[in-house]
Amino acid sequence: MSGTPDVTAYIDSLYNKENDEALARVLASIRERGMPEISVHPGYGRLITLLAASAGASAALEIGALGGYSGICILRGLAPDGMLTSLELQAEYAELARANVAAAGFGGRAEYRVGEALARLPELADEGKTFDFFFIDADKGNYPNYLDWALKLARPGAVIVADNTLLRGRITEEDSTSPSVRAMREFNERIATDPRLVSVILPAYDGLAVARVK
Ligand code: SAH
Ligand code: MG
């Protein structure tokens, strides 16, 4: 069998030559605590930095903090005085993310709000907050709701990024009764067809949706 060369392993090998202390610290801290090892793939982490920087973003909203890996990637791309707001269900995770983000040199530029993201989002709206970069990476069944909120809180030209939109291939199960699969299929369809968005869905790793609000 001739097989396709593993080009993602090749790309990873190029970047693994760099020693990224801040991100390595996040991954080690997650492992030490026995937390789920589901930080965004390093390749998409780099893309998040690049997209936030290209958009000239200064106010980012993340849904799902875990240990702060994606938070650091976002902050690296924001304008020098840019702020990250991050919503996280678990208090201990938010605490770890806060510590890791501070250790990466971004202390004072990230605000963590603990609890169900769907309970925190209306508070942001009530406070009149708007954002120009979004990273959706929490419970998959709520992705369509998170897209609604992102559109509500978006400034014109805002970039919306969402991780894991292919659900390890389960996304193609048209008749699935799994709530995550159904929700993610709805999310991807809306990303692809909403007239307010220009978008792409990248197939590498576990899938990444990238959209720009017109
Ligand atoms: N974005 C992180 C990984 C997030 S993993 C990174 O790449 O570094 C998903 C996170 O979403 C977990 O930390 C989990 O606790 C959180 N989460 C799950 N359900 C949630 C909810 N309903 N509201 C807020 N956060 C939630
Ligand atoms: Mg993810």
Side-chain angles (χ1 to χ4, degrees):
M1 214 175 80
S2 60
T4 309
D6 188 348
V7 291
T8 55
Y10 162 72
I11 295 167
D12 292 344
S13 77
L14 296 175
Y15 286 98
N16 286 340
K17 295 190 180 88
E18 290 182 343
N19 185 21
D20 193 323
E21 265 182 49
L23 295 182
R25 187 185 300 115
V26 176
L27 298 179
S29 68
I30 287 172
R31 179 161 292 186
E32 274 164 25
R33 286 163 179 73
M35 288 161 58
E37 299 189 40
I38 52 172
S39 300
V40 70
H41 191 283
Y44 282 159
R46 285 186 285 274
L47 180 59
I48 289 167
T49 302
L50 191 160
L51 288 169
S54 303
S58 61
L61 177 64
E62 170 183 75
I63 308 180
L66 193 66
Y69 191 106
S70 56
I72 291 169
C73 295
I74 294 166
L75 281 157
R76 283 176 174 174
L78 293 186
D81 55 349
M83 278 289 299
L84 170 71
T85 302
S86 181
L87 310 183
E88 170 55 50
L89 183 62
Q90 312 268 3
E92 323 87 79
Y93 292 5
E95 208 43 61
L96 179 66
R98 186 184 286 115
N100 282 330
V101 160
F106 297 111
R109 286 182 47 200
E111 184 200 350
Y112 287 86
R113 297 193 180 197
V114 174
E116 288 283 349
L118 279 184
R120 300 283 81 83
L121 286 158
E123 297 170 2
L124 296 174
D126 289 347
E127 293 166 27
K129 293 242 161 46
T130 59
F131 302 90
D132 44 20
F133 190 87
F134 297 84
F135 186 53
I136 300 172
D137 193 21
D139 49 321
K140 308 311 168 195
N142 271 317
Y143 268 42
N145 295 325
Y146 296 149
L147 180 58
D148 285 335
W149 276 105
L151 286 163
K152 210 169 285 184
L153 299 174
R155 302 173 183 169
V159 172
I160 302 173
V161 180
D163 194 25
N164 310 106
T165 63
L166 300 182
L167 298 175
R168 298 165 193 260
R170 285 192 299 145
I171 198 67
T172 59
E173 295 168 10
E174 281 178 42
D175 303 323
S176 176
T177 54
S178 149
S180 311
V181 173
R182 296 182 71 85
M184 198 64 88
R185 287 179 66 86
E186 179 192 338
F187 177 85
N188 285 334
E189 273 159 36
R190 289 184 47 198
I191 283 285
T193 58
D194 191 308
R196 291 167 290 183
L197 299 173
V198 177
S199 73
V200 64
I201 298 173
L202 303 176
Y205 313 123
D206 195 24
L208 194 81
V210 180
R212 183 176 186 273
V213 181
K214 285 179 193 163

